Amino acid sequence: MANNQSQGTLGFMDLMSIAVGQIIGAGVMVMSISALGMTGRSVNIAFMIAAVFTLFSTIPTVFVASVARFHGGTYSQFAVFVHPIFAGFMQYTGLLSSVGLGMFGLGLASYIGMLIPAIQNNQIMWAVIFMLIFFALNWFGTAWMAKVQGFMFYFLVAALVLFTVMGLPKVQWGGYFGNELFGQPLFAHGMSGLIEAASYLTYATGGATVILSFSGEAKNPTKDIPMVIIIATLSVAFLYALLATVIGGVLPADEVIAIGNLAPIADLIMPKPLYYFFIIGGAGFALGTTLNSSIASNFPPMLRAAQDGWFPGVLSKVNKHGVPYVWMFIRMALNIAVVLSGFDTGVLGKWTLVIGNVTSFVTIGSVIRIDKLFPEQWAKSPYHVSNPVKALLLGLAMCTQAIQTSMNLKGLTMGIIMLNVVSMVAFGGFATYLYKTGKVHMNPSYELM
């Protein structure tokens, strides 16, 4: 552990582009329409409620990020705040989700294919090509990845703002907030539908906390990362709410739901050149930024875990840009194999869904010790609060997690739940065994700022 030794390369806007790019993904292109079916035109209100839920859930990360630079991101956080075994366990479970990048590659090929039939007719091949391109970009390290992310970030935001600005004048405002527009009520399924939609949309407004993985590369992590998490979450949620107003106010909800994505709506409200810009800069770059940051954010935790002994040492080898290239090639090969096999990547997400929810409660609860682990840094943190207020805020984060957990469990089969339980026992058992053999040698991997 050292003080002020690292010189990061990522500034505030670099972190902002990564956070926003991670939040704005394929999810909003589909989830906003699904939420429309749950609550009707009040989906814009649901987005704002979702933003409040999401902010509560980010409180633990904001607290943690404000006290130190964590070189291994969440891996280092788990090791310090919970236990080294928990850090190893989380890295093992993360292996399953790390090979789910194919969904972004396929989604990118699908949207770009709307403009180029050759891509539409060869989606699997182009999904592989797109993944190869982004893996190649990440070969050159975080600074280069951030430049690419920043480029896509501005086009992405411009495309979504364009959709919103051009769509709002075409919203049928007369009766929008009443019960007469399109002969449909504002709250299609009452307050319960609104809360269900808001809970569901937390997945569309979440994702900013991924930048904790870039703490080691940030110029001023304890100041910038917490602020970026808050600003990115609120600003994207506000944009989503306006965008959702267009989705709910131009056409009847049942027609929009039948369409299933935003492309036909964009075609209706935009001239062709701007429609093409929206498909590439909006839908395409939404997937591209998420794919790009998902590749890069996996490197710091894996590198630290391999250096500590949780994985073979060969995975800790880095190129001249500091990228763990052996792991990158393995991960690239696995993701390509998943796409070529036609395997449903959604199954991988469900495989660790219960595990993720259970461990989230542990992670949130562990932050209560921040004043004991980092007394001086916590006392100086701009986010410092009294112990009772801290307990209250972490309690709200727990409540938000409970809502998300209840949503996640809905629709899961007993087989998937048992697969989660068995995997949890297996990963936890192996992590415990390896740690007790003495083959794991934990490094602090954080700096006091």
Side-chain angles (χ1 to χ4, degrees), residues 148-197:
V148 174
Q149 190 80 354
F151 171 81
M152 292 190 292
F153 162 76
Y154 289 110
F155 278 92
L156 170 59
V157 173
L160 293 184
V161 169
L162 182 66
F163 177 93
T164 303
V165 170
M166 297 199 70
L168 285 174
K170 298 184 180 181
V171 170
Q172 300 188 38
W173 292 106
Y176 186 98
F177 294 102
N179 290 319
E180 61 274 12
L181 182 59
F182 303 129
Q184 299 169 343
L186 175 62
F187 300 97
H189 300 286
M191 287 296 104
S192 61
L194 178 66
I195 298 302
E196 181 183 8

Side-chain angles (χ1 to χ4, degrees), residues 16-25 149 153 156 285-286 289-290 293:
M16 182 65 73
S17 67
I18 295 171
V20 172
Q22 185 69 23
I23 297 172
I24 303 176
Q149 190 80 354
F153 162 76
L156 170 59
F285 282 2
T289 52
T290 303
S293 61

Side-chain angles (χ1 to χ4, degrees), residues 27-77:
V28 69
M29 302 295 172
V30 177
M31 293 180 74
S32 56
I33 297 174
S34 299
L36 185 67
M38 298 176 188
T39 191
R41 294 191 307 281
S42 57
V43 64
N44 49 8
I45 301 173
F47 264 117
M48 297 310 295
I49 297 174
V52 175
F53 285 166
T54 302
L55 278 178
F56 285 150
S57 69
T58 64
I59 288 170
T61 305
V62 168
F63 285 171
V64 169
S66 72
V67 297
R69 180 197 299 275
F70 291 89
H71 289 281
T74 52
Y75 168 78
S76 299
Q77 175 192 348

Side-chain angles (χ1 to χ4, degrees), residues 156-436:
L156 170 59
V157 173
L160 293 184
V161 169
L162 182 66
F163 177 93
T164 303
V165 170
M166 297 199 70
L168 285 174
K170 298 184 180 181
V171 170
Q172 300 188 38
W173 292 106
Y176 186 98
F177 294 102
N179 290 319
E180 61 274 12
L181 182 59
F182 303 129
Q184 299 169 343
L186 175 62
F187 300 97
H189 300 286
M191 287 296 104
S192 61
L194 178 66
I195 298 302
E196 181 183 8
S199 301
Y200 174 71
L201 290 173
T202 55
Y203 295 100
T205 55
T209 54
V210 72
I211 60 171
L212 183 61
S213 292
F214 299 97
S215 180
E217 289 79 23
K219 292 180 181 177
N220 194 346
T222 54
K223 177 183 177 182
D224 290 347
I225 288 180
M227 187 62 67
V228 165
I229 291 173
I230 295 170
I231 294 176
T233 300
L234 286 176
S235 58
V236 171
F238 179 72
L239 177 59
Y240 278 176
L242 295 177
L243 183 145
T245 304
V246 176
I247 296 172
V250 173
L251 294 171
D254 52 357
E255 290 186 26
V256 178
I257 295 167
I259 292 170
N261 64 59
L262 302 186
I265 304 175
D267 194 21
L268 179 68
I269 64 176
M270 295 177 174
K272 280 297 180 185
L274 295 182
Y275 166 74
Y276 295 148
F277 177 76
F278 174 77
I279 293 298
I280 296 174
F285 282 2
L287 288 153
T289 52
T290 303
L291 176 58
N292 192 39
S293 61
S294 295
I295 292 173
S297 62
N298 179 263
F299 291 154
M302 173 54 72
L303 179 59
R304 288 290 167 173
Q307 290 172 341
D308 287 347
W310 293 108
F311 296 95
V314 67
L315 297 185
S316 65
K317 289 188 175 182
V318 298
N319 63 14
K320 66 179 181 179
H321 305 291
V323 174
Y325 65 91
V326 176
W327 168 239
M328 188 184 80
F329 281 125
I330 292 174
R331 191 182 182 203
M332 181 174 67
L334 288 173
N335 276 282
I336 290 174
V338 168
V339 171
L340 293 176
S341 70
F343 185 79
D344 182 5
T345 54
V347 173
L348 294 173
K350 292 180 180 179
W351 194 339
T352 57
L353 197 59
V354 177
I355 297 174
N357 281 278
V358 171
T359 54
S360 289
F361 284 108
V362 176
T363 303
I364 294 170
S366 69
V367 180
I368 197 73
R369 302 170 55 221
I370 193 170
D371 58 320
K372 302 293 192 300
L373 296 170
F374 298 93
E376 294 182 16
Q377 289 70 34
W378 175 239
K380 294 185 295 184
S381 169
Y383 303 94
H384 176 269
V385 292
S386 65
N387 285 340
V389 174
K390 178 181 64 177
L392 173 63
L393 292 174
L394 293 177
L396 290 172
M398 284 277 195
C399 291
T400 301
Q401 184 59 46
I403 293 172
Q404 290 180 308
T405 300
S406 64
M407 291 293 299
N408 286 338
L409 292 179
K410 290 176 63 175
L412 286 186
T413 65
M414 183 54 65
I416 290 292
I417 293 175
M418 289 307 300
L419 181 61
N420 273 259
V421 173
V422 171
S423 299
M424 192 183 306
V425 172
F427 287 135
F430 183 72
T432 302
Y433 164 77
L434 194 63
Y435 185 76
K436 290 186 175 180

